[in-house]
Amino acid sequence: MPELDLPQRQATDTLMLTGFWYRALPADRVHRNQLHKATLLEIPLVIGRDRANQPFAVRDACPHRGMPLNGGRFDGENLECPYHGWQFDVHDGQCQLIPSLTHDQTLKVDRIYAGSYPCEEQDDFIWVFIPDSPPQGAGFTKPAEAPDPAPQIAKFSDKYKLAYLQADMPVSIDHGIIGLMDPAHGPFVHQAWWWRTQHSIHEKQKNFEPIPNGFRMSAHTPSSNSAPYKLLRLYADADSINTTIDFILPNIRTETIRAGKYWFSSLTTVTPISRNQCRIDVVAAWNLFRWVPFMPELLKFVFGKFVEQDRRTMETQAEGLKHNPHLMLIDDADRPAKWYFQLKAAYLESKRTGEPMRHPMPGPVTLKWRS
Ligand code: FES
Ligand SMILES: [Fe+2]
């Protein structure tokens, strides 16, 4: 029985999950003593690096009268609002100076905070932690603390290469994510003569298991029509190659392919920018072909093609979604999408009740589809 689902009708707070790290900007775009704008979960941010190159993220609205801070002066430590010159420490957001105060005025400046967010650099990206109750514009609060460090790509040797690519998708985070995990669009969206054609479609069977906050496509020999697999076959016995693909809330897909001492690993995120806008960031690390100088470019070319095909598809899909159509998720090809919605619901429910999260998957499951 097809089940109906209406992800685009969800309210914002069930659409975009707080309490997680999100990728904000590629690290190589953020330079010392420069200010950059970014938006995460409809929160405007100003992002930069201090004198010691440490990244920071502050809400891009002054707690005094809401002036965007990204146009203010920054001395490598404090950020000055361009309206009345209040100054804020960029890491904890604490107000340092209110120029209009006279000596006998005793307002406690240090009790005022601009909203600031935990911020880390990891695998070529600046990550920002968006807490459950975001620092308010007029918040007199210290920044929240992140319970864990920002996610990292799994790496299996000291030396490796790293590359990233990004694409903006004009759809909600939910459509971005289920588009990413959907196995059935491959033969139709990702055709290329050097890759695969519609005729290569065949029946597949994959085992899935629950993991904390997500699910795993259990270690298996990758399907013969996947690109990394084709490359890896040049290095290793087909039987020795295995791959694991995980999805974990709120938005992370990791893929690890190992063949003896060689490995390829990626961490892809779909980041909610606003209700109808998300961004996909693919970051890959590998120790294959390290000696081949153009390999990062080749990988970027191959992955870039896929991501561009997905982006174009979602851009067109957004046209159809404007009319608010009824949607459906069908077994088994859409089962991962259902788990995603169930995981989100379970996460929100556990936050509401304070009870441990109840995983929607009872145990390992085998799914079959043609792709
Ligand atoms: S609005 Fe920022 S100092 Fe007044
Ligand atoms: Fe795709």
Side-chain angles (χ1 to χ4, degrees):
M1 258 288 278
E3 287 174 30
L4 297 180
D5 209 339
L6 306 165
Q8 85 282 17
R9 288 180 184 161
Q10 290 181 345
T12 312
D13 58 347
T14 64
L15 193 62
M16 305 193 276
L17 297 182
T18 54
F20 290 103
W21 286 96
Y22 288 97
R23 274 180 176 143
L25 288 170
D28 61 0
R29 284 200 214 146
V30 183
H31 302 288
R32 232 181 333 166
N33 302 340
Q34 278 183 9
L35 301 173
H36 300 264
K37 290 203 281 183
T39 306
L40 290 176
L41 287 71
E42 297 189 331
I43 301 168
L45 298 171
V46 52
I47 289 178
R49 291 182 190 275
D50 66 13
R51 223 174 261 138
N53 225 23
Q54 287 305 307
F56 61 84
V58 177
R59 198 182 184 97
D60 196 12
C62 179
H64 180 210
R65 299 247 293 277
M67 186 73 172
L69 295 170
N70 72 76
R73 277 199 310 189
F74 175 51
D75 64 4
E77 194 178 340
N78 294 323
L79 177 53
E80 183 186 84
C81 178
Y83 204 169
H84 312 95
W86 293 19
Q87 287 184 13
F88 305 95
D89 178 291
V90 288
H91 289 293
D92 63 11
Q94 192 175 43
C95 189
Q96 306 294 312
L97 175 77
I98 295 182
S100 62
L101 289 179
T102 61
H103 285 300
D104 53 340
Q105 291 171 340
T106 56
L107 178 72
K108 292 207 169 48
V109 167
D110 58 2
R111 293 234 292 250
I112 298 173
Y113 287 86
S116 80
Y117 297 82
C119 188
E120 277 181 25
E121 185 166 351
Q122 194 61 261
D123 296 326
D124 281 0
F125 265 80
I126 307 288
W127 292 75
V128 174
F129 181 79
I130 304 294
D132 284 335
S133 38
Q136 294 303 305
F140 296 83
T141 53
K142 289 190 168 106
E145 276 191 36
D148 304 299
Q152 271 191 54
I153 301 183
K155 300 168 196 96
F156 305 95
S157 57
D158 293 340
K159 290 191 171 163
Y160 56 85
K161 289 210 165 164
L162 206 61
Y164 73 82
L165 57 94
Q166 320 188 269
D168 291 307
M169 312 275 190
V171 292
S172 72
I173 175 73
D174 286 346
H175 280 295
I177 283 178
I178 67 177
L180 189 74
M181 60 176 55
D182 154 30
H185 72 288
F188 302 93
V189 170
H190 300 303
Q191 291 180 55
W193 62 265
W194 43 266
W195 164 243
R196 59 175 300 171
T197 66
Q198 254 182 54
H199 304 297
S200 71
I201 192 164
H202 61 274
E203 185 166 321
K204 287 171 191 166
Q205 182 169 322
K206 297 277 156 70
N207 300 318
F208 290 82
E209 58 191 285
I211 55 173
N213 268 4
F215 52 88
R216 167 169 297 169
M217 190 193 282
S218 317
H220 63 286
T221 303
S223 68
S224 52
N225 54 16
S226 101
Y229 178 81
K230 283 182 180 171
L231 295 172
L232 273 160
R233 257 196 327 207
L234 305 171
Y235 288 81
D237 221 344
D239 300 337
S240 77
I241 302 176
N242 73 68
T243 178
T244 306
I245 299 176
D246 288 355
F247 173 79
I248 55 166
L249 286 179
N251 65 344
I252 293 176
R253 177 195 194 268
T254 63
E255 179 167 14
T256 306
I257 306 174
R258 301 192 68 173
K261 62 179 179 171
Y262 298 108
W263 57 272
F264 175 92
S265 182
S266 65
L267 194 157
T268 299
T269 49
V270 185
T271 302
I273 307 298
S274 66
R275 295 184 69 83
N276 294 311
Q277 178 82 31
C278 62
R279 190 190 63 236
I280 180 162
D281 298 306
V282 185
V283 185
W286 65 90
N287 75 338
L288 310 156
F289 325 107
R290 275 197 311 114
W291 56 92
V292 183
F294 57 83
M295 206 53 214
E297 284 68 38
L298 184 61
L299 268 169
K300 270 196 161 184
F301 172 78
V302 173
F303 278 85
K305 267 242 147 68
F306 290 144
V307 171
E308 175 56 18
Q309 287 164 338
D310 283 327
R311 192 197 63 74
R312 246 186 288 133
T313 303
M314 289 188 198
E315 196 172 75
T316 313
Q317 182 192 16
E319 287 300 309
L321 291 173
K322 274 185 198 159
H323 309 289
N324 215 13
H326 281 284
L327 308 172
M328 59 181 83
L329 296 172
I330 63 155
D331 289 325
D332 274 350
D334 289 336
R335 188 80 68 84
K338 284 188 205 172
W339 291 333
Y340 164 66
F341 288 117
Q342 290 164 354
L343 279 165
K344 263 178 101 165
Y347 173 80
L348 290 167
E349 181 63 11
S350 100
K351 279 216 304 207
R352 198 181 62 80
T353 60
E355 298 285 307
M357 179 167 155
R358 285 187 48 191
H359 202 290
M361 290 169 75
V365 183
T366 301
L367 301 183
K368 292 201 297 185
W369 66 78
R370 281 165 46 80
S371 71

